[in-house]
Amino acid sequence: MKARLILENGMEFPGTSFGSESAMAGEVVFNTAMTGYPESLTDPSYKGQILVATYPLVGNYGVPGEETEQNLHKFYESDKIAVQGFVISDYSEAYSHWNAEQSLGDWLKSQGIPGISGIDTRELTQILRESGTMLGKIVFEDQEVEWYDPNQDNLVGMVSPKEKQVYGEGKHKILLLDCGVKNNIIRCLLDRDTTVIRAPYDHQFNADDYDGLFITNGPGDPEMCKPTIQSLSKALEADKPIFGICLGSQLMALASGASTYKLKYGHRSHNQPVQKVGAERCYITSQNHGFAVDEKALGADWEPLFLNVNDGTCEGIKHKTKPFFSTQFHPEASGGPTDTEFLFDDFIQLIENYKGK
Amino acid sequence: MIKKVLILGSGALKIGEAGEFDYSGSQALKALREEGIKTVLINPNIATVQTSEGVADEIYFLPVTPFFVEKVIKKENPDGILLAFGGQTALNCGVELYQKKILEKYNLKVLGTPVQSIIDTEDRDIFVEKLKQIDVKTARSIAAASVEHAREAANKLGYPVIVRAAYALGGMGSGFANNEDELLKLATNAFSYSPQVLVEESLKGWKEIEYEVVRDRHDNCITVCNMENFDPLGIHTGESIVVAPSQTLTNREYHKLRELSIRIVRHIGIVGECNVQYALDPASEDYRVIEVNARLSRSSALASKATGYPLAFVAAKLSLGYGLHELKNAITKTTSAFFEPALDYVVCKIPRWDLSKFSGVSHTIGSSMKSVGEVMAIGTTFEEAIQKGLRMIGQGAHGFVGNRDIVVEDIDRELSNPTEMRIFVIEKAFEAGYSIDQIHDFTRIDRWFLQKLKLIFDLSKKLNQYKTLEKVPDELFRQAKKKGFSDFQLARLILKPTADEMDDVSFEVRKYRKEQGILPVVKQIDTLAAEYPAQTNYLYITYGGKKHDVEFAEDGKSVVVLGSGAYRIGSSVEFDWCGVNAVQTINKHGYRSIMINYNPETVSTDYDVTDRLYFDELSFERVLDIIDLEQPKGTILSTGGQIPNNLAMRLFGAGVPILGTQPTSIDRAENRHKFSMMLDGLGIDQPKWEEASSLEDINKFVGRVGFPVLIRPSYVLSGAAMNVVSNQEELEHFLELAAKVSKKHPVVVTEFIEQAKEIEIDAVADKGEIMAYAMCEHIEFAGVHSGDATMVFPPQKIYFETVRRIKRAARKIAGELKISGPFNIQFLARDNDIKVIECNVRASRSFPFVSKVLKSNFIQLATEIMLGVPYVKPSKSIFDLDHIGVKASQFSFSRLSKADPVLGVDMASTGEVGCIGDDYYDAVLKAMLSVGYRIPNGNVMISSGPMRDKLELLNSARLLTEKGINLFATRGSHEFLKANGIPSTMLHWPDEGVAPNVLDYIRNKQFDLVVNIPKNLTQGELANDYTIRRSAVDFNIPLITNARLASAFIFAFTRIDMEEITIKSWAAY
């Protein structure tokens, strides 16, 4: 079945459908990772976006099954595919892996998500790099769809749960404000003797009983999350440890009075180098974000914690005296490199320090 | 502050240690020089780029052994040493220098990874213990110090087991043992290479995955690339088809192994580059670390080329104390070197074997390396990459499908016991209806790879149903190109022409697809998958895209140079040197150089050597694709060996401007009939020859010229392609067993002149007039392939009249062919009679050797002539030289189990060295020691063959005795020596089974040198001689099989002592 990707600048890319034959629109972004399509596709941060894989061979190892562990999908980052569509170069119809239960195409079909292959994804990436992220849609011969600009929507509201849910029975009680959390963040916390209370993004938590606060990743513009910023501002007045990842980092910055801005085409890859400020230590990180913290706007109590080695953008902030820190990148990886998972240990250490006081 | 650094090279190219170390050494030297550090290089491999002017400050063409390295240290007084850039040779030498406290003695600092870390990775017990400390799993393994101990170990682990020698390069002396018998055989052999042998659990069938890891002194780590072997564990990674990045690993697997790599590298304390190899269970996430190489390796060269990340360059910088984040990404120039390349293509490495050059060799591929070179193909689909790669290896394949002449007798057997033909056996299996699961069960190759191959196969069947191009649906045609089908394959599958029509019909396909707008695009390798803008000139061509990444100037200011392709026996690093020098000359004269080559082991494929690098096929189709786009001023064919030369006529036919000697002249030299007629016309003599299509024809010819004759069949059944036969019986035997003779498959029979000297002339001409020349003399008499012979330059033992006659003939030939550029002619000389054996209208293997000994760059001159720019005619002549160069060959017989280590008319050496001496013996000795010979001080075994060789060796034998060396000889040689008053101990032949037996002495390693001269020149050699030669090789005893070479070596080391060998840098000559 033939399909086309159309960009808002009018360019068309004809290709072949390998997913669901349902036209979809969204914001087109590219990711340069070479593995981890099941993880990427289920990452709620991609909500509203059409994902382009620059690595051409996709589908090779199929898609794993639906097993759960501790009430979380064992192999996915959320309960369902988050993207609006998937754009690739060469689809591997046949797959091979001991852990695969179905093909990528069948999985996309089962969740109504279109996939298009045969695209010169390198050319497409160059266009997105030069003109910046833009809207796009995957359409079929007999099927059109209206443009959709996810930036107009409260995407976090769409992916955040409506109810609280509790995981684990560890000794540290973590309140996790879910703006679109990746399961591996919860797994990383649970591995460290915690109880995770997963709460909606707009949950007013200030009166809750918890040892540490975690602000998750999530899709879209951080300024959309007004209720989170409000409650977070209050939390910053107290002394309980706070750790934020990605959108969480941006929200912490906003709550502290700093500002954020949209990057031309964002960082979406498994190979982003970051350096710890004031040290020679660097880490390769997994990233997926379109907005960044403006570190020049940070208040006097705050300082950058990590900087991107390539373009110098802010990759995390910390409070100068209080146990608050954040990263723009993803220490929980999945997919991507695991170099910075130790930051979860640091967070637990801060909690222990706090409790010991 | 480090001011002067010594770098150890890897010496001659050999199986397991080849051109990749020229590439990594050159990059390291570049990195050091950029810092203003003086560099001293020891490497006897004169054909390399790293041993060229301007790469290192001082170059020593000396053996990379502690003895010579210490001499150089003493002389040069460096303050730092790099051990990681010269392969296992440099590493072993460095470890020895460290253990002997020589580094300490001279206060020499090891830069980069500390020696103790190297030892930790090389000694199996320490290694396993080290990894256990950080909870990293290794294969269960027991180190054994004796054969008996090895047997016990195997019983403990349970069969099958793998046996490997510690401290051996490329898996030498290792293999799988399924039972005790096999174990005992393997272990005995392995102990001849190493005092320690490892017996390990077999992980046969597991996936084999590698990571290239870099660490700086701040503990910053990256993995530049991971690679997956197409062939599962059990086949050495050097023997495997390898893809990058991994294709069948999930994110969890990829990053689990990545994390382990970094953990290992930190714990061991690497500073620089390191390779980690894993076995990964195909049915779970279980893994084992197989080995860690604390140095640049073949894999790291491949990873550099696969990703565009200059690993060796960066490793050298890190060894000086830089942090990764302080270095820039050499491709984008704006982003940091601390990152991990994101590929947006797939690369496929395929080894090149030359097993058919050897008689008796086992064709099975396994845990020990046999391949002599490799190619890397880049594509946007696996199918495109592998089909490109299978063409690139240059052994007649047109891709995965569309090949003829491949006969597989027993598919099941060949699938389960892989040979170098394995991938083509898979195609045959598809043809025979085998399912993917069946093939997987035999081969354990991951189904994903097999599924992809099946796609190619199915597509070929679809194409095969059509008879005309017009009928093939556009989409199918495009799909075929995306899946790597060449015009040739499409022509064969669709139009089904006869062999004679093939070229024309392939060209029709090209014309047709161009009309249809089915054209490839040029893409950049930019390390970041287009995330950041890159100005890189590192390019490949694919059908998996719609837009070119680069623009084409079409201003006639660019010049295309065709590279030399995969290293193989007969064509290796020397042509890379030629290509690089051509490119440098082009750049110097204000033209833009464009290199086309696909060999990841080369310097010419380093993207900052040329203005544009097309890492792609050297096929007619692809070269023409590039020329169509670039519209260059012209194309240079003559610096890349035989591959470009073979394209000459077709490129000419397509109207491509060729710089230098015109293709019609190339054809006149290459075509036997035309060349012969030309020589007759010029009044130049040649050995008599005839093309015969029946035994009667041959007999008639032999009746005229007499035996021996050289036979060159056009169709080879098995074994070597050429052979010398000395009598009727041998002739018939050879034709029966090895070659077919018929109208369709004629053989060329040539008179074989014995006891003749072989002399070569390397020269450069301008419009037919010779501007520079160099003459070399072979130490061995004609009959040893010129690529195996030991060459002396300038000649020491030829008549002036011979020189005059050779010059005259060369001048006539150059004039007749209107040669502009490099050429080489080989002559036979006996009593001042000269005969031309062959003429190559291109640079030859010895161009770097003569250029460097003469210190006059022949390729630079040739390129200037081809470009038509002003040049200076060199004034230096060989008579001005007061030093001598000797080029000696490196053989890799120890790797080629069962091959007869004898020299003949077909080339067998895998590499060479060139050393310069004050006199002949000085140079001979340096060269022989550089290719691994050792000066004997105890026992020498002589088995001296026919009478004339016995006579040849008589004086040598006397010199040995005078030096106090004990001679041992087989019966005939013993009697002969006795009759001439030379004492020797008589030993019985192997098959006599009586003591004292020559075989026992070899097995007990009681000889320092074995001289065994074959009785005649045929391959059907007596079993005894073969056994002596082969055992000498298997037990790692130096072996010489040519009487003239043996004499030269023995004369040299009996005349001068090790301590008297001159230690002079190249610049001092």
Side-chain angles (χ1 to χ4, degrees), chain A residues 20 66 81 102 105-113:
Chain A
S20 168
E66 304 255 335
I81 299 177
Q102 59 181 327
D106 288 343
W107 188 47
L108 289 170
K109 278 175 200 153
S110 73
Q111 301 209 14
I113 305 296

Tab-separated table of all heavy atoms in Angstrom, chain A residues 20 66 81 102 105-113:
chain	number	residue	atom	x	y	z
A	20	SER	N	-0.448	0.753	10.322
A	20	SER	CA	-1.888	0.899	10.159
A	20	SER	C	-2.167	1.868	9.010
A	20	SER	O	-1.480	2.872	8.857
A	20	SER	CB	-2.471	1.442	11.466
A	20	SER	OG	-3.783	1.850	11.246
A	66	GLU	N	3.896	-8.597	25.828
A	66	GLU	CA	3.210	-7.647	26.706
A	66	GLU	C	3.405	-7.957	28.187
A	66	GLU	O	2.677	-7.431	29.033
A	66	GLU	CB	1.709	-7.677	26.403
A	66	GLU	CG	1.345	-7.405	24.953
A	66	GLU	CD	0.772	-6.004	24.766
A	66	GLU	OE1	0.227	-5.449	25.732
A	66	GLU	OE2	0.909	-5.469	23.653
A	81	ILE	N	1.639	2.738	22.162
A	81	ILE	CA	2.483	3.540	21.278
A	81	ILE	C	2.083	5.002	21.409
A	81	ILE	O	0.897	5.325	21.360
A	81	ILE	CB	2.336	3.060	19.809
A	81	ILE	CG1	2.779	1.594	19.701
A	81	ILE	CG2	3.151	3.957	18.871
A	81	ILE	CD1	2.623	0.985	18.322
A	102	GLN	N	5.912	-10.349	17.821
A	102	GLN	CA	5.263	-9.977	16.570
A	102	GLN	C	6.163	-9.013	15.812
A	102	GLN	O	7.162	-8.544	16.348
A	102	GLN	CB	3.898	-9.334	16.837
A	102	GLN	CG	3.965	-8.082	17.697
A	102	GLN	CD	2.589	-7.486	17.973
A	102	GLN	OE1	1.704	-7.574	17.139
A	102	GLN	NE2	2.422	-6.878	19.133
A	105	GLY	N	5.455	-4.033	12.161
A	105	GLY	CA	4.302	-3.622	11.362
A	105	GLY	C	2.984	-4.062	11.991
A	105	GLY	O	2.031	-3.282	12.086
A	106	ASP	N	2.944	-5.310	12.453
A	106	ASP	CA	1.714	-5.818	13.064
A	106	ASP	C	1.378	-5.058	14.339
A	106	ASP	O	0.207	-4.807	14.644
A	106	ASP	CB	1.860	-7.317	13.381
A	106	ASP	CG	1.830	-8.153	12.113
A	106	ASP	OD1	1.387	-7.612	11.072
A	106	ASP	OD2	2.264	-9.319	12.152
A	107	TRP	N	2.413	-4.720	15.059
A	107	TRP	CA	2.215	-3.984	16.322
A	107	TRP	C	1.620	-2.601	16.034
A	107	TRP	O	0.658	-2.182	16.660
A	107	TRP	CB	3.573	-3.877	17.019
A	107	TRP	CG	3.551	-3.326	18.399
A	107	TRP	CD1	2.702	-3.681	19.411
A	107	TRP	CD2	4.437	-2.333	18.933
A	107	TRP	NE1	3.018	-2.977	20.552
A	107	TRP	CE2	4.069	-2.148	20.293
A	107	TRP	CE3	5.491	-1.603	18.418
A	107	TRP	CZ2	4.743	-1.234	21.121
A	107	TRP	CZ3	6.168	-0.710	19.241
A	107	TRP	CH2	5.789	-0.523	20.580
A	108	LEU	N	2.213	-1.912	15.042
A	108	LEU	CA	1.682	-0.595	14.669
A	108	LEU	C	0.223	-0.729	14.226
A	108	LEU	O	-0.641	0.058	14.626
A	108	LEU	CB	2.515	0.014	13.538
A	108	LEU	CG	3.926	0.495	13.888
A	108	LEU	CD1	4.702	0.850	12.622
A	108	LEU	CD2	3.898	1.699	14.829
A	109	LYS	N	-0.027	-1.754	13.422
A	109	LYS	CA	-1.392	-1.965	12.926
A	109	LYS	C	-2.351	-2.173	14.095
A	109	LYS	O	-3.437	-1.588	14.135
A	109	LYS	CB	-1.438	-3.196	12.011
A	109	LYS	CG	-0.987	-2.878	10.595
A	109	LYS	CD	-0.930	-4.154	9.744
A	109	LYS	CE	-0.038	-3.916	8.536
A	109	LYS	NZ	0.575	-5.145	8.038
A	110	SER	N	-1.926	-2.991	15.057
A	110	SER	CA	-2.818	-3.322	16.166
A	110	SER	C	-3.154	-2.089	16.991
A	110	SER	O	-4.150	-2.061	17.683
A	110	SER	CB	-2.176	-4.396	17.053
A	110	SER	OG	-1.108	-3.825	17.800
A	111	GLN	N	-2.315	-1.042	16.911
A	111	GLN	CA	-2.608	0.150	17.709
A	111	GLN	C	-3.024	1.336	16.845
A	111	GLN	O	-3.076	2.468	17.312
A	111	GLN	CB	-1.380	0.508	18.550
A	111	GLN	CG	-1.003	-0.646	19.468
A	111	GLN	CD	-0.320	-0.175	20.744
A	111	GLN	OE1	-0.342	1.004	21.092
A	111	GLN	NE2	0.288	-1.105	21.445
A	112	GLY	N	-3.277	1.053	15.564
A	112	GLY	CA	-3.799	2.100	14.684
A	112	GLY	C	-2.795	3.190	14.349
A	112	GLY	O	-3.169	4.331	14.062
A	113	ILE	N	-1.523	2.865	14.395
A	113	ILE	CA	-0.498	3.875	14.119
A	113	ILE	C	0.116	3.612	12.736
A	113	ILE	O	0.513	2.488	12.434
A	113	ILE	CB	0.618	3.802	15.182
A	113	ILE	CG1	0.046	3.937	16.592
A	113	ILE	CG2	1.681	4.881	14.914
A	113	ILE	CD1	-0.618	5.261	16.892
